[in-house]
Amino acid sequence: MQSISPETIFRGNDAWEKALPQIIKLTKNPLILGRSIHTKIIRYEIFRDLKNLIPDVSSAILQFDCCYEDISIVKKIILKNNHDSVIAAGGGKVLDSGKYIADSLNIPCITVPLSASTCAGWTALSNIYTKNGQFIEDVALRSCPKILVYDHKFIQTAPSRTLASGIADALAKWYESSITSSTINDGLVQQAIQISRVLRDQLLIDGEKAFKDQFENNSSWRNTIEACGLTAGLVGGIGGEKCRTAAAHAIHNAITQIVTPNKFLHGEIVGVGLLLQLRLEEMRNNNKLAEQSIKQLLELMKELNLPTTISELGINVFENKNLEKIADFTCRDKSEIHFLPFEISKQDIIEVISNFEQQKIKI
Ligand SMILES: [Zn+2]
């Protein structure tokens, strides 16, 4: 069974208002989940609008990233108060928590992304982390959310850093799926890969303008946020698990194992992983186009103020055996790195990262 998309999607400047009648048909006692202090006002508006229509609305705050500790606390609240749905309003980690909790209790999930940082509002997947933000595993869920509300006026209030992060994460779709899945003889997978190529092209055209003119709500901005939050999710929905992530996400997962005082967003780390994946393709697969792609991506990433090296993520790979730790986790048995069509060893990862980090001054 494959769940391609949320059952109903509302998008645009008044998506939330348009979604309300449908939401109250679906749920009479929802629990609104959120986390960040930045989204407190919007979450209060969501709460107030629902409270005006149905009396039994509650909210709960997550403490950490999408982790089993938070999940178990919220599950207990839902069971105690008989909540009949979860409304997850926030960034990727809040959306992933809400989807996971709703799936495990067999109640509907309504996702309300409050930034364009990921496509988590769409997908039937939750990434689970430790309380400290270290990646543990991806969990496939039974279905995509019941309702996705992609309200542009909410997303416009998010820090521009979240948009840059969403662009990096969505760009990775093409570079990862095209290398892992181009030989799979399945029309839908091939079409999903082609959508991810069009998605990349659109981000290369519109991404920088969208980032710089975020508060103008022009067509570049609208196209970009929908590319990151919707189209990227559609690629995963159509391509399914065969349309795979590869080294960029494997390296992201490994980098999160090093706990740093300043936390970075998912797409910010994936962007660095993507540059390293392309270096691996150049080194191990003799891919001549990879060098060109690196130059093109570096140019865009600089304009978007995205980190381009692991040291810019606050980690010195040459200290505390960090390089070995990253290489170990990247190459562990169940890592996505093994979906690459060529063998990768720990030594390859150590070599590519140390070269890359040492060259950073030249870039
Ligand atoms: Zn991602």
Side-chain angles (χ1 to χ4, degrees), residues 144-213:
C144 295
K146 192 88 174 162
I147 300 176
L148 163 59
V149 186
Y150 207 67
D151 193 308
H152 294 189
K153 70 176 175 305
F154 291 167
I155 290 164
Q156 203 160 15
T157 64
S160 51
R161 180 181 171 190
T162 59
L163 178 60
S165 173
I167 293 172
D169 197 30
L171 281 169
K173 294 266 177 217
W174 158 255
Y175 298 97
E176 293 194 292
S177 67
S178 60
I179 190 163
T180 59
S181 310
S182 62
T183 55
I184 294 174
N185 190 11
D186 179 329
L188 275 187
V189 173
Q190 292 313 316
Q191 286 139 24
I193 295 171
Q194 292 308 321
I195 297 172
S196 74
R197 183 179 53 77
V198 177
L199 168 66
R200 177 205 60 177
D201 293 346
Q202 178 126 41
L203 293 172
L204 290 175
I205 294 166
D206 278 330
E208 188 184 332
K209 187 165 169 41
F211 179 75
K212 293 190 169 154
D213 300 341

Side-chain angles (χ1 to χ4, degrees), residues 40-248:
K40 201 176 163 188
I41 295 169
I42 297 178
R43 283 186 282 115
Y44 176 71
E45 284 170 21
I46 290 172
F47 175 85
R48 182 201 59 204
D49 290 350
L50 284 167
K51 190 90 180 163
N52 284 337
L53 298 165
I54 40 175
D56 290 328
V57 186
S58 305
S59 58
I61 308 288
L62 295 164
Q63 300 297 317
F64 308 102
D65 286 343
C66 179
C67 66
Y68 287 121
E69 289 83 353
D70 264 354
I71 285 169
S72 115
I73 294 169
V74 175
K75 274 168 81 171
K76 280 183 196 142
I77 296 173
I78 291 176
L79 291 170
K80 185 164 165 259
N81 301 324
N82 280 320
H83 292 294
D84 61 358
S85 75
V86 175
I87 300 180
K93 289 176 176 156
V94 169
L95 301 170
D96 275 4
S97 306
K99 290 185 296 182
Y100 184 96
I101 293 164
D103 186 86
S104 60
L105 295 174
N106 219 1
I107 55 176
C109 183
I110 296 154
T111 48
V112 189
L114 300 183
S115 78
S117 61
T118 74
C119 59
W122 183 295
T123 54
L125 195 71
S126 290
N127 293 338
I128 310 288
Y129 295 84
T130 66
K131 276 160 72 171
N132 296 325
Q134 297 161 296
F135 175 85
I136 302 176
E137 59 181 341
D138 286 329
V139 180
L141 308 175
R142 277 171 289 183
S143 67
C144 295
K146 192 88 174 162
I147 300 176
L148 163 59
V149 186
Y150 207 67
D151 193 308
H152 294 189
K153 70 176 175 305
F154 291 167
I155 290 164
Q156 203 160 15
T157 64
S160 51
R161 180 181 171 190
T162 59
L163 178 60
S165 173
I167 293 172
D169 197 30
L171 281 169
K173 294 266 177 217
W174 158 255
Y175 298 97
E176 293 194 292
S177 67
S178 60
I179 190 163
T180 59
S181 310
S182 62
T183 55
I184 294 174
N185 190 11
D186 179 329
L188 275 187
V189 173
Q190 292 313 316
Q191 286 139 24
I193 295 171
Q194 292 308 321
I195 297 172
S196 74
R197 183 179 53 77
V198 177
L199 168 66
R200 177 205 60 177
D201 293 346
Q202 178 126 41
L203 293 172
L204 290 175
I205 294 166
D206 278 330
E208 188 184 332
K209 187 165 169 41
F211 179 75
K212 293 190 169 154
D213 300 341
Q214 175 173 2
F215 300 104
E216 290 177 19
N217 195 343
N218 57 31
S219 66
S220 291
W221 182 79
R222 287 193 298 274
N223 289 341
T224 302
I225 60 152
E226 297 214 321
C228 300
L230 306 181
T231 318
L234 179 67
V235 170
I238 296 181
E241 63 176 19
K242 287 184 195 151
C243 199
R244 279 162 157 159
T245 53

